């Protein structure tokens, strides 16, 4: 399931059981309550008024739920579209990706028919691969501060990995370099961080694994689908992994955690259920066997939020989020022939209200009312 920051579910108690239970109790309780009120206030006509009281209770519940159902959809939707044209001699290949738009992003042209944003695709400077040096105070970017080719970044779309600093800090750095837009793609190494508890430790040296803040379960990965037979977890020999430098070494570890031929794939009972084809280490160890547990990574769209230390007015370029699969796909293309890739960005149409849920409830209660009247 996609994570939802805000949706109509927010009208009810949160949790896996909370809001369905609330709906069920309200659905049964309100008609009964109104029915009882009708019997107590009109005792001599209870048989005649019971159906109408049940209808009234149903209508009351429908009005309560509809106030939530007709709210605009605020979930994480891949509203942005990226069209990529890759020229290889006389052959041009087109790829289309649907991506999510950052909350701090400038607006995109709506629909392909409108004037869209076209540019070349570029990767960050070699000495700043995460595009975090500016926010760390190591450099101050301007459109002419890095010249590998004349105006290489000016007007280009920057393809940047997630991690190292906030999304908005990356977008601001890209803007200062003169980029026309930024694409931030998810990756495995960004999900590991240093544990702040041990950051300034001056005592005896700690186990390196204790200094790592591991990805959270069911937020970044999934280990089980309800039964051991459907397990989406595997075990990786600890000796084959590296955490130098802390907290994660992608150059050595990713080969064991990504792809159909990886160690994770070979030890996971339900690898075919892992749609991302990537794993994340959970921090759990089997010390006797020298193994570390890895589970299927979630590869989903995210809504990139604000950095409280930066103002949203500073960002004047479109900022989009790509999944790991989309990022890997684009990165492989740009490494082969960066000068022969053109990207086009625009916003696609999407539903303004949760219409399906609204009409499902309408027809449900119309049926209820017909049944009560009969």
């Amino acid at each position: 399931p996609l994570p939802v920051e805000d949706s109509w579910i927010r009208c009810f108690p949160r949790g896996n059981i909370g809001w369905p239970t609330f709906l069920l109790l309200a659905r049964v309780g309100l008609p009964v309550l109104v029915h009882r009120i009708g019997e107590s206030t009109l005792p001599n006509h209870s048989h005649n008024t019971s159906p109408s009281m049940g209808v009234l209770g149903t209508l009351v519940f429908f009005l309560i739920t509809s106030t939530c159902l007709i709210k605009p959809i605020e979930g994480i939707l891949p509203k942005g579209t990226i069209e990529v044209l890759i020229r290889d001699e006389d052959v041009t290949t087109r790829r289309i990706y649907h991506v999510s738009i950052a909350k701090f992003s400038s607006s995109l042209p709506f629909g392909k028919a409108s004037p869209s944003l076209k540019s070349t695709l570029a990767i960050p400077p070699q000495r700043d691969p995460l595009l975090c040096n500016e926010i760390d105070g190591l450099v101050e970017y301007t459109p002419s501060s890095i010249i590998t080719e004349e105006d290489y970044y000016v007007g280009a779309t920057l393809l940047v990995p997630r991690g190292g600093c906030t999304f908005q800090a990356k977008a601001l750095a890209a803007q200062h370099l003169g980029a026309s837009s930024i694409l931030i793609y998810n990756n495995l190494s960004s999900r590991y961080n240093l544990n702040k508890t041990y950051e300034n430790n001056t005592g005896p040296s700690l186990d390196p694994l204790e200094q790592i803040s591991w990805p959270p379960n069911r937020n970044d990965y999934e280990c089980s689908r309800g039964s051991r037979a459907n397990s989406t977890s595997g075990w990786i020999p600890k000796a084959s992994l590296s955490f130098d430098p802390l907290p994660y070494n992608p150059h050595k570890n990713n080969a064991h955690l990504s792809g159909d031929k990886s160690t994770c794939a070979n030890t996971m009972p339900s690898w075919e259920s892992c749609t991302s084809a990537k794993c994340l280490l959970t921090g759990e160890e089997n010390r006797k066997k020298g193994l570390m547990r890895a589970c299927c990574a979630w590869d989903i769209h995210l809504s990139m939020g604000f950095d409280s230390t930066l103002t949203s007015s500073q960002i004047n370029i479109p900022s989009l989020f790509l999944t790991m699969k989309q990022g890997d796909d684009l990165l492989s293309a740009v490494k082969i022939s960066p000068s022969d890739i053109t990207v086009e960005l625009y916003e696609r149409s999407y539903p303004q209200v949760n219409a399906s849920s609204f009409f499902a409830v309408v027809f449900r209660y119309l049926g209820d009312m017909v049944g009560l009247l009969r």
Side-chain angles (χ1 to χ4, degrees), residues 317-329:
I317 61 174
S319 308
L320 310 176
F321 183 84
L322 284 68
T323 63
M324 288 187 280
K325 184 177 182 351
Q326 292 170 337
D328 289 346
D329 199 28

Side-chain angles (χ1 to χ4, degrees), residues 56-216:
L56 180 59
T58 298
L59 284 174
V60 170
F61 175 67
F62 171 71
L63 289 174
I64 292 175
T65 55
S66 63
T67 59
C68 295
L69 295 172
I70 62 177
K71 291 181 65 175
I73 291 179
E74 299 172 356
I76 300 172
L77 300 175
K79 298 184 293 185
T81 297
I82 304 173
E83 287 197 21
V84 182
L85 295 179
I86 305 173
R87 296 177 297 278
D88 184 10
E89 296 181 352
D90 296 331
V91 179
T92 299
T93 305
R94 186 178 72 156
R95 301 177 186 177
I96 297 179
Y97 306 96
H98 297 305
V99 298
S100 55
I101 304 174
K103 292 182 177 180
F104 54 79
S105 172
S106 67
S107 59
L108 285 170
F110 190 79
K112 188 173 173 62
S114 59
S116 56
L117 297 174
K118 294 184 179 180
S119 62
T120 56
L121 193 62
I123 58 176
Q126 188 173 4
R127 61 176 177 266
D128 189 11
L130 297 176
L131 211 60
C132 293
N133 283 357
E134 186 176 50
I135 197 66
D136 291 338
L138 301 177
V139 68
E140 184 176 346
Y141 286 137
T142 64
S144 60
S145 62
I146 294 182
I147 301 296
T148 52
E149 295 180 12
E150 186 177 359
D151 298 330
Y152 179 63
Y153 294 106
V154 176
T157 293
L158 268 178
L159 181 63
V160 183
R162 180 186 185 185
C165 58
T166 64
F167 297 122
Q168 195 170 352
K170 293 175 184 286
L172 188 59
Q175 181 174 295
H176 289 165
L177 280 170
S180 62
S181 56
I182 182 171
L183 310 178
I184 301 176
Y185 63 91
N186 204 1
N187 58 87
L188 293 179
S189 58
S190 69
R191 311 321 311 128
Y192 305 88
N193 295 287
L194 285 175
N195 193 327
K196 297 294 182 181
T197 305
Y198 304 110
E199 191 173 31
N200 299 317
N201 179 65
T202 58
S205 59
L206 298 169
D207 181 344
L209 300 188
E210 293 182 14
Q211 302 178 54
I212 300 173
S213 178
W214 302 94

